[in-house]
Short mmCIF file of all heavy atoms in Angstrom, two decimals:
data_model
loop_
_atom_site.label_atom_id
_atom_site.label_comp_id
_atom_site.label_asym_id
_atom_site.label_seq_id
_atom_site.Cartn_x
_atom_site.Cartn_y
_atom_site.Cartn_z
N LYS A 1 150.55 -26.78 -43.86
CA LYS A 1 151.97 -26.38 -43.91
C LYS A 1 152.71 -27.01 -45.09
O LYS A 1 153.37 -26.30 -45.87
CB LYS A 1 152.67 -26.72 -42.59
CG LYS A 1 152.13 -25.95 -41.37
CD LYS A 1 152.99 -26.15 -40.16
CE LYS A 1 152.94 -27.56 -39.59
NZ LYS A 1 151.61 -27.90 -39.04
N GLU A 2 152.65 -28.31 -45.22
CA GLU A 2 153.40 -28.97 -46.31
C GLU A 2 152.85 -28.55 -47.68
O GLU A 2 153.61 -28.27 -48.60
CB GLU A 2 153.34 -30.49 -46.17
CG GLU A 2 154.27 -31.06 -45.11
CD GLU A 2 155.76 -30.99 -45.51
OE1 GLU A 2 156.08 -30.57 -46.63
OE2 GLU A 2 156.59 -31.37 -44.67
N GLU A 3 151.53 -28.53 -47.80
CA GLU A 3 150.92 -28.15 -49.07
C GLU A 3 151.27 -26.72 -49.43
O GLU A 3 151.53 -26.40 -50.60
CB GLU A 3 149.40 -28.32 -48.99
CG GLU A 3 148.68 -28.00 -50.29
CD GLU A 3 147.17 -28.09 -50.17
OE1 GLU A 3 146.67 -28.47 -49.09
OE2 GLU A 3 146.49 -27.75 -51.16
N PHE A 4 151.28 -25.85 -48.44
CA PHE A 4 151.61 -24.45 -48.67
C PHE A 4 153.00 -24.29 -49.27
O PHE A 4 153.19 -23.60 -50.28
CB PHE A 4 151.51 -23.69 -47.34
CG PHE A 4 151.92 -22.25 -47.38
CD1 PHE A 4 151.59 -21.43 -48.45
CD2 PHE A 4 152.65 -21.71 -46.33
CE1 PHE A 4 151.98 -20.09 -48.47
CE2 PHE A 4 153.05 -20.38 -46.35
CZ PHE A 4 152.71 -19.56 -47.43
N VAL A 5 153.98 -24.96 -48.68
CA VAL A 5 155.35 -24.82 -49.18
C VAL A 5 155.51 -25.52 -50.53
O VAL A 5 156.07 -24.96 -51.48
CB VAL A 5 156.37 -25.36 -48.17
CG1 VAL A 5 157.80 -25.16 -48.68
CG2 VAL A 5 156.21 -24.67 -46.81
N LYS A 6 154.99 -26.73 -50.63
CA LYS A 6 155.18 -27.54 -51.84
C LYS A 6 154.46 -26.97 -53.06
O LYS A 6 155.03 -26.90 -54.15
CB LYS A 6 154.70 -28.97 -51.58
CG LYS A 6 154.78 -29.91 -52.79
CD LYS A 6 154.34 -31.31 -52.40
CE LYS A 6 154.36 -32.26 -53.59
NZ LYS A 6 153.27 -31.95 -54.54
N ASP A 7 153.20 -26.56 -52.88
CA ASP A 7 152.37 -26.22 -54.03
C ASP A 7 152.21 -24.72 -54.28
O ASP A 7 151.66 -24.33 -55.32
CB ASP A 7 150.98 -26.84 -53.87
CG ASP A 7 151.02 -28.36 -53.91
OD1 ASP A 7 152.01 -28.92 -54.43
OD2 ASP A 7 150.07 -29.00 -53.40
N TYR A 8 152.67 -23.90 -53.36
CA TYR A 8 152.52 -22.45 -53.54
C TYR A 8 153.86 -21.72 -53.44
O TYR A 8 154.22 -20.96 -54.35
CB TYR A 8 151.51 -21.89 -52.51
CG TYR A 8 150.11 -22.41 -52.74
CD1 TYR A 8 149.74 -23.68 -52.27
CD2 TYR A 8 149.17 -21.68 -53.45
CE1 TYR A 8 148.46 -24.18 -52.50
CE2 TYR A 8 147.89 -22.17 -53.69
CZ TYR A 8 147.54 -23.43 -53.21
OH TYR A 8 146.28 -23.92 -53.45
N ILE A 9 154.60 -21.96 -52.35
CA ILE A 9 155.88 -21.28 -52.20
C ILE A 9 156.90 -21.75 -53.23
O ILE A 9 157.51 -20.94 -53.94
CB ILE A 9 156.44 -21.47 -50.77
CG1 ILE A 9 155.55 -20.74 -49.76
CG2 ILE A 9 157.88 -20.96 -50.68
CD1 ILE A 9 155.97 -20.95 -48.31
N TYR A 10 157.09 -23.06 -53.34
CA TYR A 10 158.11 -23.58 -54.25
C TYR A 10 157.86 -23.17 -55.71
O TYR A 10 158.78 -22.71 -56.39
CB TYR A 10 158.20 -25.10 -54.12
CG TYR A 10 159.23 -25.57 -53.10
CD1 TYR A 10 159.66 -24.73 -52.08
CD2 TYR A 10 159.78 -26.84 -53.16
CE1 TYR A 10 160.60 -25.15 -51.15
CE2 TYR A 10 160.72 -27.27 -52.23
CZ TYR A 10 161.13 -26.43 -51.23
OH TYR A 10 162.07 -26.84 -50.32
N PRO A 11 156.63 -23.30 -56.23
CA PRO A 11 156.42 -22.85 -57.61
C PRO A 11 156.64 -21.34 -57.79
O PRO A 11 157.14 -20.91 -58.84
CB PRO A 11 154.96 -23.21 -57.89
CG PRO A 11 154.66 -24.32 -56.93
CD PRO A 11 155.45 -24.00 -55.70
N THR A 12 156.28 -20.55 -56.78
CA THR A 12 156.43 -19.10 -56.91
C THR A 12 157.89 -18.68 -56.91
O THR A 12 158.32 -17.88 -57.76
CB THR A 12 155.67 -18.38 -55.77
OG1 THR A 12 154.28 -18.73 -55.84
CG2 THR A 12 155.80 -16.87 -55.92
N ILE A 13 158.68 -19.23 -55.98
CA ILE A 13 160.08 -18.81 -55.96
C ILE A 13 160.85 -19.42 -57.14
O ILE A 13 161.83 -18.85 -57.60
CB ILE A 13 160.77 -19.13 -54.62
CG1 ILE A 13 160.81 -20.63 -54.33
CG2 ILE A 13 160.11 -18.38 -53.48
CD1 ILE A 13 161.63 -20.97 -53.09
N ALA A 14 160.39 -20.58 -57.64
CA ALA A 14 161.03 -21.15 -58.84
C ALA A 14 160.83 -20.23 -60.04
O ALA A 14 161.69 -20.15 -60.92
CB ALA A 14 160.46 -22.53 -59.13
N SER A 15 159.71 -19.51 -60.06
CA SER A 15 159.45 -18.59 -61.17
C SER A 15 160.31 -17.34 -61.09
O SER A 15 160.43 -16.60 -62.07
CB SER A 15 157.97 -18.18 -61.18
OG SER A 15 157.70 -17.22 -60.16
N GLY A 16 160.90 -17.10 -59.91
CA GLY A 16 161.70 -15.89 -59.73
C GLY A 16 160.89 -14.68 -59.33
O GLY A 16 161.41 -13.56 -59.28
N ALA A 17 159.62 -14.87 -59.00
CA ALA A 17 158.74 -13.75 -58.68
C ALA A 17 159.23 -12.98 -57.46
O ALA A 17 159.48 -13.56 -56.40
CB ALA A 17 157.32 -14.26 -58.44
N ILE A 18 159.34 -11.67 -57.60
CA ILE A 18 159.71 -10.79 -56.50
C ILE A 18 159.06 -9.44 -56.78
O ILE A 18 159.30 -8.83 -57.81
CB ILE A 18 161.24 -10.69 -56.33
CG1 ILE A 18 161.61 -9.80 -55.15
CG2 ILE A 18 161.92 -10.25 -57.61
CD1 ILE A 18 163.08 -9.89 -54.75
N TYR A 19 158.19 -9.00 -55.89
CA TYR A 19 157.36 -7.82 -56.15
C TYR A 19 158.13 -6.53 -55.91
O TYR A 19 158.73 -6.33 -54.86
CB TYR A 19 156.12 -7.86 -55.25
CG TYR A 19 155.14 -6.74 -55.50
CD1 TYR A 19 154.39 -6.69 -56.68
CD2 TYR A 19 154.95 -5.74 -54.56
CE1 TYR A 19 153.49 -5.67 -56.91
CE2 TYR A 19 154.04 -4.71 -54.78
CZ TYR A 19 153.31 -4.68 -55.96
OH TYR A 19 152.42 -3.66 -56.19
N GLU A 20 158.10 -5.67 -56.91
CA GLU A 20 158.76 -4.37 -56.87
C GLU A 20 160.22 -4.46 -56.43
O GLU A 20 160.74 -3.60 -55.72
CB GLU A 20 157.97 -3.38 -56.01
CG GLU A 20 156.59 -3.10 -56.60
CD GLU A 20 155.84 -1.96 -55.96
OE1 GLU A 20 156.12 -1.64 -54.78
OE2 GLU A 20 154.96 -1.38 -56.62
N GLY A 21 160.85 -5.55 -56.85
CA GLY A 21 162.28 -5.69 -56.68
C GLY A 21 162.77 -6.18 -55.35
O GLY A 21 163.95 -6.53 -55.20
N THR A 22 161.89 -6.26 -54.34
CA THR A 22 162.37 -6.63 -53.00
C THR A 22 161.48 -7.60 -52.24
O THR A 22 161.97 -8.38 -51.42
CB THR A 22 162.53 -5.38 -52.12
OG1 THR A 22 161.33 -4.58 -52.21
CG2 THR A 22 163.72 -4.54 -52.54
N TYR A 23 160.17 -7.59 -52.48
CA TYR A 23 159.24 -8.35 -51.64
C TYR A 23 159.04 -9.75 -52.19
O TYR A 23 158.59 -9.93 -53.33
CB TYR A 23 157.91 -7.59 -51.56
CG TYR A 23 156.81 -8.30 -50.83
CD1 TYR A 23 157.05 -9.02 -49.66
CD2 TYR A 23 155.50 -8.23 -51.29
CE1 TYR A 23 156.03 -9.67 -49.00
CE2 TYR A 23 154.46 -8.86 -50.63
CZ TYR A 23 154.73 -9.58 -49.48
OH TYR A 23 153.72 -10.23 -48.82
N LEU A 24 159.33 -10.75 -51.37
CA LEU A 24 159.24 -12.15 -51.77
C LEU A 24 157.85 -12.75 -51.60
O LEU A 24 157.67 -13.96 -51.69
CB LEU A 24 160.27 -12.99 -51.00
CG LEU A 24 161.74 -12.75 -51.40
CD1 LEU A 24 162.67 -13.54 -50.50
CD2 LEU A 24 161.98 -13.10 -52.85
N LEU A 25 156.84 -11.91 -51.35
CA LEU A 25 155.43 -12.29 -51.48
C LEU A 25 154.95 -13.26 -50.41
O LEU A 25 154.05 -14.07 -50.64
CB LEU A 25 155.18 -12.87 -52.88
CG LEU A 25 155.44 -11.90 -54.03
CD1 LEU A 25 155.61 -12.65 -55.36
CD2 LEU A 25 154.28 -10.91 -54.16
N GLY A 26 155.55 -13.19 -49.22
CA GLY A 26 155.19 -14.14 -48.17
C GLY A 26 153.72 -14.14 -47.78
O GLY A 26 153.10 -15.20 -47.65
N THR A 27 153.14 -12.97 -47.59
CA THR A 27 151.71 -12.89 -47.26
C THR A 27 150.86 -13.28 -48.45
O THR A 27 149.90 -14.04 -48.34
CB THR A 27 151.35 -11.47 -46.79
OG1 THR A 27 152.05 -11.18 -45.57
CG2 THR A 27 149.85 -11.34 -46.53
N SER A 28 151.22 -12.75 -49.61
CA SER A 28 150.41 -12.96 -50.82
C SER A 28 150.28 -14.43 -51.17
O SER A 28 149.21 -14.90 -51.56
CB SER A 28 151.04 -12.21 -52.00
OG SER A 28 151.40 -10.90 -51.66
N MET A 29 151.38 -15.19 -51.05
CA MET A 29 151.35 -16.61 -51.42
C MET A 29 150.43 -17.43 -50.53
O MET A 29 149.91 -18.47 -50.96
CB MET A 29 152.76 -17.20 -51.35
CG MET A 29 153.67 -16.74 -52.46
SD MET A 29 155.24 -17.64 -52.46
CE MET A 29 156.02 -17.01 -50.97
N ALA A 30 150.23 -16.99 -49.29
CA ALA A 30 149.41 -17.77 -48.36
C ALA A 30 147.92 -17.63 -48.62
O ALA A 30 147.13 -18.51 -48.26
CB ALA A 30 149.73 -17.35 -46.93
N ARG A 31 147.52 -16.53 -49.25
CA ARG A 31 146.08 -16.26 -49.37
C ARG A 31 145.32 -17.29 -50.22
O ARG A 31 144.22 -17.70 -49.84
CB ARG A 31 145.85 -14.84 -49.89
CG ARG A 31 146.34 -13.74 -48.95
CD ARG A 31 146.09 -14.05 -47.50
NE ARG A 31 146.42 -13.00 -46.58
CZ ARG A 31 146.96 -13.21 -45.40
NH1 ARG A 31 147.30 -14.46 -45.03
NH2 ARG A 31 147.20 -12.22 -44.57
N PRO A 32 145.83 -17.71 -51.37
CA PRO A 32 145.03 -18.66 -52.16
C PRO A 32 144.82 -20.00 -51.48
O PRO A 32 143.73 -20.58 -51.58
CB PRO A 32 145.82 -18.80 -53.46
CG PRO A 32 147.18 -18.27 -53.18
CD PRO A 32 147.01 -17.23 -52.13
N ILE A 33 145.82 -20.52 -50.78
CA ILE A 33 145.62 -21.82 -50.13
C ILE A 33 144.66 -21.69 -48.95
O ILE A 33 143.86 -22.59 -48.68
CB ILE A 33 146.97 -22.46 -49.70
CG1 ILE A 33 146.72 -23.90 -49.23
CG2 ILE A 33 147.68 -21.64 -48.64
CD1 ILE A 33 147.99 -24.67 -48.92
N ILE A 34 144.72 -20.56 -48.24
CA ILE A 34 143.78 -20.34 -47.14
C ILE A 34 142.36 -20.23 -47.68
O ILE A 34 141.43 -20.84 -47.15
CB ILE A 34 144.16 -19.06 -46.35
CG1 ILE A 34 145.50 -19.25 -45.65
CG2 ILE A 34 143.08 -18.72 -45.33
CD1 ILE A 34 146.04 -17.98 -44.99
N ALA A 35 142.19 -19.46 -48.76
CA ALA A 35 140.86 -19.30 -49.34
C ALA A 35 140.32 -20.64 -49.84
O ALA A 35 139.14 -20.95 -49.66
CB ALA A 35 140.92 -18.29 -50.49
N LYS A 36 141.17 -21.43 -50.48
CA LYS A 36 140.74 -22.73 -50.99
C LYS A 36 140.28 -23.64 -49.85
O LYS A 36 139.24 -24.30 -49.94
CB LYS A 36 141.87 -23.40 -51.77
CG LYS A 36 141.52 -24.77 -52.35
CD LYS A 36 142.61 -25.29 -53.27
CE LYS A 36 143.81 -25.78 -52.49
NZ LYS A 36 143.54 -27.09 -51.81
N ALA A 37 141.06 -23.67 -48.78
CA ALA A 37 140.70 -24.52 -47.63
C ALA A 37 139.42 -24.02 -46.96
O ALA A 37 138.61 -24.82 -46.48
CB ALA A 37 141.85 -24.55 -46.63
N GLN A 38 139.24 -22.70 -46.93
CA GLN A 38 138.01 -22.15 -46.35
C GLN A 38 136.79 -22.58 -47.15
O GLN A 38 135.75 -22.95 -46.59
CB GLN A 38 138.10 -20.63 -46.28
CG GLN A 38 136.93 -19.98 -45.55
CD GLN A 38 137.09 -18.47 -45.40
OE1 GLN A 38 138.12 -17.90 -45.77
NE2 GLN A 38 136.08 -17.81 -44.86
N VAL A 39 136.90 -22.55 -48.46
CA VAL A 39 135.81 -23.00 -49.32
C VAL A 39 135.54 -24.49 -49.10
O VAL A 39 134.38 -24.93 -49.03
CB VAL A 39 136.14 -22.72 -50.80
CG1 VAL A 39 135.16 -23.45 -51.72
CG2 VAL A 39 136.10 -21.22 -51.07
N GLU A 40 136.60 -25.27 -48.95
CA GLU A 40 136.43 -26.71 -48.73
C GLU A 40 135.69 -26.98 -47.42
O GLU A 40 134.83 -27.87 -47.35
CB GLU A 40 137.80 -27.40 -48.73
CG GLU A 40 138.43 -27.44 -50.13
CD GLU A 40 139.89 -27.88 -50.12
OE1 GLU A 40 140.46 -28.02 -49.01
OE2 GLU A 40 140.45 -28.08 -51.21
N VAL A 41 136.02 -26.22 -46.37
CA VAL A 41 135.29 -26.37 -45.10
C VAL A 41 133.83 -25.96 -45.29
O VAL A 41 132.91 -26.63 -44.78
CB VAL A 41 135.95 -25.54 -43.99
CG1 VAL A 41 135.06 -25.49 -42.74
CG2 VAL A 41 137.31 -26.12 -43.63
#
């Protein structure tokens, strides 16, 4: 949870990223941290 917000959500929203003018990428941002943790396991 903390890593997700600190290292993925915060950098993404700081960049101003918003997909097709409306979508704040909530699902998309979670995928890389989940994949990374899965590889670590």
Side-chain angles (χ1 to χ4, degrees):
K1 296 190 291 293
E2 283 288 356
E3 183 184 355
F4 175 40
V5 182
K6 177 177 178 289
D7 294 340
Y8 294 81
I9 292 176
Y10 269 22
T12 301
I13 62 173
S15 77
I18 182 168
Y19 184 69
E20 296 190 336
T22 49
Y23 175 40
L24 289 176
L25 298 161
T27 296
S28 314
M29 287 188 291
R31 296 321 185 218
I33 189 174
I34 294 173
K36 180 172 75 73
Q38 186 176 355
V39 168
E40 289 169 353
V41 170

